[in-house]
Amino acid sequence: MKTAVLTVVATMWACVAEVPAAGFAAGNLVVGERFRNPVGFYDAAPTFSWQLPADGSARAQTAYRIVAASEAGLLPDRADLWDSGKVSSDRSVWVPYGGKPLASRQRVTWQVQVWDQDGRESLWGEPASFELGLLENSDWQAKWIRMGKRKAPASGATAPKIDLASGKASGGSAAFAPEYLRREFEVDGNVARARLHVTAKTPYHKRMETLTYDVTGMLRKGGNAIGAILGEGWYAGGMMGKKSRYPATKPLLLVQLEITLSGGGTKVVVTDDSWKATNDGPIRFSSIYHGENYDAGMEMPGWNAVGFDDSKWAGVIAEEAASGPALVPKRHYPVRATEELKTVKVTEPSPGRHVFDLGQNMVGWPRLRIPVEKGKRVTVRVAEMLEKDGNLYTANYRAARSTDTYTAPRTETVTWHPTFTFHGFRYVELTGLPEDSRPVPDWVTGVVLHSGFPRTGRFTSSHELLNRLYSNILWGQRGNFLDIPTDCPQRNERLGWTGDAQVFCPISLFNYDVHSFWMSWLQSVREEQHGSGLITHVVPQTGTGQGSPGWGDVAVTAPWNVYVRTGDRRVLEENYGMMTKWLGAYEREARGFIVGRGGYGDWLQPYARDRKSDTPMNVIATAYFGYCTALTRDAARVLGRAEDAERYAKQFANIRAAFSKAFFDASGKLTTPQQTQTAYLMALGFDLLEPGLRAGAVKHLLTLIEAAGGHLRTGFLGTPLIASVLDREGYTDAAYGVLFKETYPSWFYSIHQGATTMWERWNSYSHDKGFGDAGMNSFNHYAYGAIGQWMVERIAGLAPDPAHPGYKHFFIQPAPGGPLTHARAELDTPYGTAASGWEKTDAGWIVHAVVPPNTTATVYVPARDAASVMERGQPAAKAAGVKFLRMENNHAVYAVGSGTYRFRSTLPETVK
């Protein structure tokens, strides 16, 4: 079935005269990108969102009123910051604040009242709040500090020298032992409120994010102490290529503790030259790539408490902060421990070498609870895979040592994990344990780390391998969304590659609430954009180059995808300039609307001559030129930029004509030296063929797929298109065929080889041939997980409507096929939970739909005719909240309002 182009939004509820207040209220009040009661919020001009109750007591909204006050006790009648008054609107998400100007540190409490589809006035809901962080550099009294004269690294504080060109390690060099910094201070009264504002230097040269913590309960009247441990992290560590770009980077700390006393007084404690520091703490070495060395014999009990003797500690070097890069509150969730994995198996491949299998490739660190022996060092190594003899396979880590050590001062049982590193691993190897020890599974626990965004999407089906694939997609996202969208979490890279992010963005927004994650990273992309309009290959940049088609296009595709799936037009407002500058670079390079720019190509295409694929770069560059022109045209229309929209519409038509003429003959066949699936997929998927060429191009694409035995021959850029293009052109069975292949290259092939995450290559490992090229062989690389979008939006059938973004209106359009007997997707949208699912029965089909309050949906039910479709025992067209629209390609199409629906139909065996 082809996805309908016509969007129909049914107005299911009539407005009537206002009636007395009803016993319902709006809930789930959030500010900005769905933050609940944040402290240290970043935006003094926020937006507000809320949801109608899910119990059906209000199906739609016709008006709202927002009140905001500086104190909760003033609401709702004495709102001193803002009273919107009654606003006739169904808008319940991203409503902009319209009150008095807000400033740093300000606390705002707000409430919402709504009117439903019958004009009933709701009760006032529970209030929500937000508290702004420090918004300007002038708010900071603190100075950047670091330890003054450092001691020479002690034993165990060495790291390998890394040759970044070859990726090889050799010898050792002086390593960074984290700094311990402290200060004591007095509080002269009882503490009413205390906020700790803190950051460390980051690789960004224009903006640095700060965090705010409520530490009220941690302070007391009288003596207090504050301590911090400063690691090298992203900023000062030897990230791939970055040391050559930023050779003088050193870790720096910035802290400002603001205390409000019960009597009204205040006290501010800041980082300055009064602090003391040492690098003689137990963490002897730390590195994101290489791991951490911990010597428990150097622990300093009470070092962060009052009364500790720091007389032998060094002073600090203090630097002004106010004049540097912009200091702004963090815009998205910080990295958090989100889950723990138990060991499922313990082996001993060689004497004294114990391997713990967590059963899942993950990202984070191992937490140990182990016996240790005085003076002995336990070495902790990790790996994603095992060699055939049961030992760790680490060649694919390249120069990343990924090794932790723990040196024991006494014989005892300890619980420990590293702090200033993270690893990508499934297996944990322990050596150096007491000779008589007998390891048991609970000695090692996997602590999963990623940015702390909540789960929003769920997918399930009747097929075990398809469910495993979706699980692998989730784990790939969790493993690579650590503050930025990285390509991989294990080797000496872990960089914000734009190409991987570009293709994975749509499904990432379904899986988790990563709205704020993308808004923050896109801000970084804007800040790294070159004056020419080109986008760096990685963000933050590390000197890897810029401008590759399919990579830098994230500047256009990601803002559009975020807008479609959230409905937040701010992402277009903020990024429109970046989008047009990126297009401008294409425009200047184009000759007759054909772009010849080089780049990474259809990266890692199977059976290609090299890593950059067989699809010519001028085809890829021109295709993305056209695609981004079309998206920017659509963005201009949303933003009311009519002249831009018209110009980009004409430009797209010119690109399409030039693309068709340059690369295709009259039969729709490619005229390039080699035909590739990806070239056809881009031409069709980006709508770059003149109408008379499409049918022929589809035929030639199908011929290539058939010649490949029904397999894909696509890399990073072509793979996200293959299922959706085949489906849209009416060949849904072929899309299922490619997806459900179990031999190389295919998604299920890697699962049969043991994959529990997405792999960088289709054959990163095979049981018969072993491991692939270790130089480029990540076992946690989410790019090929882009197929999840088609699984959710067509297999299960839950798809957004770009004309009514953020699931204000959406499609229930399941495409049953393959060996499946049922599938279902659920999503926590800004309005509430939406769901689409289907079941195959002996008599026909059942389609399930859940439409949250204040939204509508268009539902496609497989059916021979409308008369055969029932909804809960009655003809569907007569059911409450349902309106029949038309028959389309063996589907009855309905407009529905808020509610839960169960459509049943009878249909012949085959659905097209």
Side-chain angles (χ1 to χ4, degrees), residues 431-623:
T431 56
L433 295 169
E435 291 186 4
D436 60 349
S437 60
R438 296 290 181 268
V440 294
D442 65 3
W443 282 14
V444 175
T445 299
V447 180
V448 178
L449 302 177
H450 59 77
S451 291
F453 39 69
R455 177 86 175 270
T456 51
R458 296 159 292 278
F459 172 88
T460 188
S461 76
S462 58
H463 198 277
E464 181 180 355
L465 290 177
L466 192 65
N467 294 339
R468 177 73 252 184
L469 172 58
Y470 183 66
S471 174
N472 290 1
I473 293 169
L474 291 176
W475 280 101
Q477 181 170 351
R478 296 175 74 182
N480 285 288
F481 275 38
L482 273 82
D483 218 50
I484 63 171
T486 61
D487 61 325
C488 62
Q490 74 295 89
R491 65 187 180 217
N492 64 323
E493 192 168 355
R494 315 185 197 188
L495 302 177
W497 282 97
T498 51
D500 307 58
Q502 191 263 133
V503 298
F504 192 73
C505 180
I507 186 58
S508 76
L509 288 156
F510 174 86
N511 295 335
Y512 293 94
D513 182 6
V514 289
H515 181 185
S516 61
F517 183 92
W518 283 104
M519 294 290 276
S520 177
W521 188 67
L522 283 170
Q523 185 174 353
S524 301
V525 177
R526 294 197 302 274
E527 292 165 349
E528 298 282 27
Q529 186 174 28
H530 192 267
S532 66
L534 296 180
I535 300 295
T536 56
H537 295 155
V538 301
V539 176
Q541 62 172 313
T542 60
T544 55
Q546 58 191 9
S548 177
W551 269 248
D553 301 275
V554 74
V556 176
T557 64
W560 181 254
N561 278 310
V562 173
Y563 167 71
V564 168
R565 285 159 179 80
T566 66
D568 186 359
R569 61 178 280 153
R570 293 176 306 164
V571 69
L572 299 182
E573 294 168 346
E574 292 181 10
N575 292 289
Y576 186 75
M578 175 173 67
M579 298 164 74
T580 59
K581 290 176 184 176
W582 172 254
L583 273 185
Y586 275 138
E587 291 165 355
R588 288 189 297 274
E589 296 175 36
R591 299 294 179 265
F593 297 99
I594 301 299
V595 180
R597 187 189 303 168
Y600 291 106
D602 191 24
W603 186 250
L604 296 183
Q605 172 206 320
Y607 299 110
R609 291 168 295 179
D610 59 32
R611 289 174 179 170
K612 295 185 179 181
S613 82
D614 296 327
T615 304
M617 277 308 306
N618 59 351
V619 172
I620 293 174
T622 306

Side-chain angles (χ1 to χ4, degrees), residues 221-381:
K221 183 178 180 179
N224 292 266
I226 183 170
I229 309 175
L230 183 62
E232 60 182 14
W234 296 96
Y235 172 68
M239 298 299 288
M240 182 178 179
K242 188 172 72 61
K243 269 299 185 185
S244 61
R245 185 176 181 86
Y246 308 110
T249 53
K250 299 200 180 292
L252 292 167
L253 175 71
L254 190 70
V255 171
Q256 186 156 306
L257 173 61
E258 299 184 342
I259 305 167
T260 302
L261 303 177
S262 298
T266 61
K267 183 180 181 65
V268 180
V269 179
V270 300
T271 44
D272 55 21
D273 57 11
S274 67
W275 287 55
K276 303 292 286 293
T278 185
N279 63 347
D280 273 343
I283 304 178
R284 305 308 311 135
F285 163 75
S286 71
S287 162
I288 287 177
Y289 284 156
H290 304 305
E292 188 164 293
N293 297 344
Y294 190 90
D295 186 345
M298 300 186 71
E299 289 178 344
M300 304 172 291
W303 72 271
N304 56 353
V306 174
F308 179 81
D309 181 6
D310 60 12
S311 59
K312 294 182 180 181
W313 284 30
V316 299
I317 296 173
E319 303 176 8
E320 292 294 332
S323 60
L327 297 166
V328 296
K330 192 175 185 71
R331 192 172 182 173
H332 64 106
Y333 296 99
V335 174
R336 292 286 183 260
T338 63
E339 187 176 352
E340 295 186 356
L341 301 182
K342 296 181 178 180
T343 295
V344 298
K345 184 180 181 180
V346 183
T347 59
E348 190 176 8
S350 60
R353 195 174 297 273
H354 305 280
V355 176
F356 295 74
D357 179 3
L358 296 170
Q360 171 65 54
N361 196 8
M362 55 158 282
V363 174
W365 55 52
R367 187 179 68 231
L368 311 181
R369 188 177 184 278
I370 57 173
V372 293
E373 193 171 353
K374 180 180 180 179
K376 297 295 181 66
R377 174 182 293 179
V378 176
T379 298
V380 186
R381 298 172 63 232

